[in-house]
């Protein structure tokens, strides 16, 4: 039975990737940082019904010793580095910790592997945010980067350290440049989940308004369930490489709101208000990915439409709030 190690196992992608890997027959080691609320942080794994099947180990991306010990102990065949301070807006308030975890954390893990399991295959969770102020209408693996937040700057460092470990030491290290991907397990601070949760609360009479920032920004949104499959496919290739993963369709936040509110028979214009303090110091106005390489080389393509995903997210948030109300 092959073994995989997943950092960021308590996050959205960590949960979906864990389930995917368990279904593929892997032993799944999930690294999580120590928390005083450990009963709550396993919530996403519990939601997917796999909490008992993932072997959880203590570790932190900024603690090299914990990474070396984990790699030495479990000797993973594949390592997926999903751990990060992943919220762009928070990265202006905590730029240093974002650099330490989202940036230097990648080097820590790569060095732990170089020391204790150099033949492990490595996946780095890179981000379309690295394109930032876009230099081409559709972004692919050859598009120049222009990061626009401390988060994106940290991700860019992690991306290049991954490429550098591949080129310097021959490590099987791949960087997946994933565009935004969402699900009912998306963190509630991200705009999609904030909207679907808001729709559910307004529909059930728990709120009347939904405050948002810039409604004109556009994103290329896919479903996390599709995107974790691409991660795995990258590590099954003979040669490590970098891949853009995207749907090739971009939509404004405003339009996302319209669809989500319409799903429950509401008009978003009656409820969405814009608030200046939710506007970012520097914005990424539009992202649109070209995943042609992933299609050709990995045979990957998305299977879930944006409309179906929005419906799934709204329904999940309605169910959550109804359960709370009846408890
Ligand atoms: P989440 O925010 O849901 O999960 C992040 C995970 O990182 C959590 O498990 C968190 O743990 C963990 N983490 C945070 N700090 C540390 C640390 N110091 N040491 C170890 N683990 C830590 O993100 P997603 O699942 O959405 O994304 C997964 C990865 O993909 C991230 O690296 C993200 O930046 C990247 N990415 C995501 C995209 C998206 O659209 N979702 C797009 C492109 C890239 P805890 O639960 O304790 O907070
Ligand atoms: P990001 O692409 O990783 O930054 O993902 P987010 O979901 O956090 O933000 C996507 C876009 O939505 C950005 O352009 C934000 O400026 C915009 N946005 C507008 N209002 C909000 C809001 O209230 N919260 C968040 N998180 N984003 C918002």
């Amino acid at each position: 039975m092959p073994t995989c190690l997943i950092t960021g196992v308590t996050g959205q992608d960590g949960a979906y990737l864990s389930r995917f890997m368990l279904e593929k027959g892997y032993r799944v080691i999930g690294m999580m940082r120590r928390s005083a609320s450990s009963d709550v942080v396993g919530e996403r794994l519990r939601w997917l019904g796999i909490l008992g099947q993932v072997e959880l180990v203590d570790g932190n991306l900024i603690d090299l010793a914990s990474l070396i010990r984990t790699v030495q102990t479990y000797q993973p065949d594949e390592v997926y580095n999903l751990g990060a301070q992943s919220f762009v807006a928070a990265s202006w308030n905590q730029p240093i910790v974002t650099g330490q975890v989202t940036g230097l954390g990648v080097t820590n893990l790569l060095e732990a592997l170089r020391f204790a399991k150099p033949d492990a295959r490595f996946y780095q969770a890179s981000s379309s945010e690295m394109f930032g102020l876009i230099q081409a209408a559709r972004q692919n693996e050859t598009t120049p980067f222009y990061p626009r937040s401390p988060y994106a700057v940290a991700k860019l460092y992690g991306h290049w350290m991954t490429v550098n470990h591949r080129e310097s030491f021959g490590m099987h290290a791949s960087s997946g440049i994933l565009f935004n991907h969402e699900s009912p397990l998306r963190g509630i601070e991200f705009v999609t989940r904030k909207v679907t949760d808001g729709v559910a609360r307004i529909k059930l009479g728990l709120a009347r308004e939904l405050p948002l920032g810039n409604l004109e920004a556009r994103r290329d949104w896919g479903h996390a369930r599709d995107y974790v499959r691409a991660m795995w496919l990258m590590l099954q290739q003979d040669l490590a490489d970098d891949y853009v993963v995207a749907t090739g369709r971009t939509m404004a936040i405003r339009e996302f709101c319209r669809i989500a509110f319409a799903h429950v028979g509401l008009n978003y214009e009656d409820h969405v208000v814009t608030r200046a303090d939710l506007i970012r110091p520097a914005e990424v106005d539009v992202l649109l990915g070209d995943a042609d390489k992933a299609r050709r080389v990995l045979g990957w393509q998305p299977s879930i439409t944006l409309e179906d995903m929005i419906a799934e997210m709204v329904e999940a948030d309605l169910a959550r709030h109804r359960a709370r109300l009846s408890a």
Side-chain angles (χ1 to χ4, degrees):
M1 181 195 266
T3 299
C4 69
L5 169 66
I6 301 176
T7 72
V9 75
T10 56
Q12 169 188 256
D13 292 7
Y16 281 109
L17 181 65
S18 292
R19 185 174 68 179
F20 179 87
M21 300 303 279
L22 287 167
E23 284 167 2
K24 287 263 172 224
Y26 283 73
R27 178 185 185 194
V28 178
I29 311 298
M31 199 190 83
M32 61 188 269
R33 54 183 173 160
R34 144 88 193 133
S35 161
S37 321
S38 53
D39 53 332
V40 182
V41 292
E43 204 42 49
R44 291 187 173 99
L45 296 169
R46 187 176 295 118
W47 203 81
L48 294 179
I50 55 169
L51 183 57
Q53 296 170 58
V54 175
E55 295 175 54
L56 294 170
V57 297
D58 241 6
N60 197 307
L61 284 165
I62 58 177
D63 186 326
L64 178 60
S66 73
L67 300 178
I68 293 175
R69 201 166 24 248
T70 302
V71 171
Q72 244 168 4
T73 305
Y74 295 99
Q75 295 289 301
D77 302 287
E78 296 175 15
V79 176
Y80 295 85
N81 184 34
L82 310 184
Q85 190 303 94
S86 67
F87 188 38
V88 170
S91 74
W92 279 284
N93 297 331
Q94 298 184 39
I96 296 169
V97 88
T98 301
Q100 287 169 332
V101 178
T102 307
L104 265 186
V106 183
T107 308
N108 283 336
L109 188 49
L110 283 164
E111 287 295 289
L113 289 177
R114 189 152 79 93
F115 179 76
K117 186 78 167 78
D119 63 340
R121 295 187 170 195
F122 177 80
Y123 173 85
Q124 168 57 16
S126 293
S127 166
S128 56
E129 288 290 318
M130 301 188 308
F131 295 119
L133 189 62
I134 54 166
Q135 304 293 298
R138 296 186 57 170
Q139 303 89 53
N140 66 18
E141 296 79 5
T142 62
T143 305
F145 299 114
Y146 194 135
R148 290 272 277 174
S149 64
Y151 167 80
V153 172
K155 279 288 179 191
L156 195 50
Y157 168 80
H159 167 75
W160 283 119
M161 285 309 284
T162 302
V163 173
N164 190 257
H165 273 68
R166 179 168 79 221
E167 294 177 352
S168 304
F169 309 117
M171 289 173 68
H172 194 293
S174 292
S175 175
I177 306 173
L178 270 51
F179 282 61
N180 296 50
H181 45 280
E182 322 293 314
S183 74
L185 297 182
R186 181 61 142 153
I188 200 138
E189 65 276 35
F190 293 89
V191 75
T192 55
R193 183 69 205 297
K194 186 174 170 183
V195 170
T196 60
D197 178 72
V199 166
R201 284 186 301 109
I202 291 167
K203 181 69 183 171
L204 298 177
L206 299 171
R208 291 169 58 90
E209 282 191 343
L210 177 63
L212 292 175
N214 176 14
L215 298 182
E216 310 313 328
R218 302 175 74 85
R219 288 293 182 276
D220 178 332
W221 281 297
H223 197 302
R225 220 160 50 224
D226 276 335
Y227 285 36
V228 299
R229 191 173 71 251
M231 298 175 187
W232 176 79
L233 282 168
M234 286 178 217
L235 298 207
Q236 308 317 305
Q237 306 306 306
D238 289 341
L239 295 176
D241 206 342
D242 309 321
Y243 297 91
V244 158
V245 176
T247 69
R249 175 184 179 197
T250 190
M251 183 183 278
I253 316 296
R254 180 184 294 287
E255 181 66 3
F256 187 101
C257 290
R258 195 190 60 71
I259 298 172
F261 278 86
H263 182 75
V264 296
L266 296 174
N267 180 352
Y268 82 95
E269 288 171 313
D270 296 335
H271 303 283
V272 170
V273 293
T274 48
R275 243 178 44 197
D277 63 309
L278 293 170
I279 306 278
R280 297 178 175 182
E283 180 61 290
V284 172
D285 294 319
V286 54
L287 291 172
L288 173 60
D290 167 9
D292 183 54
K293 181 175 169 185
R295 254 185 211 97
R296 276 187 292 106
V297 181
L298 305 177
W300 177 88
Q301 57 180 14
S303 69
I304 304 166
T305 67
L306 183 54
E307 285 75 7
D308 285 350
M309 183 180 79
I310 294 173
E312 181 191 351
M313 291 174 71
V314 171
E315 290 298 329
D317 280 318
L318 281 168
R320 279 190 186 102
H321 285 293
R322 285 196 184 111
R324 266 175 222 141
L325 284 172
S326 62

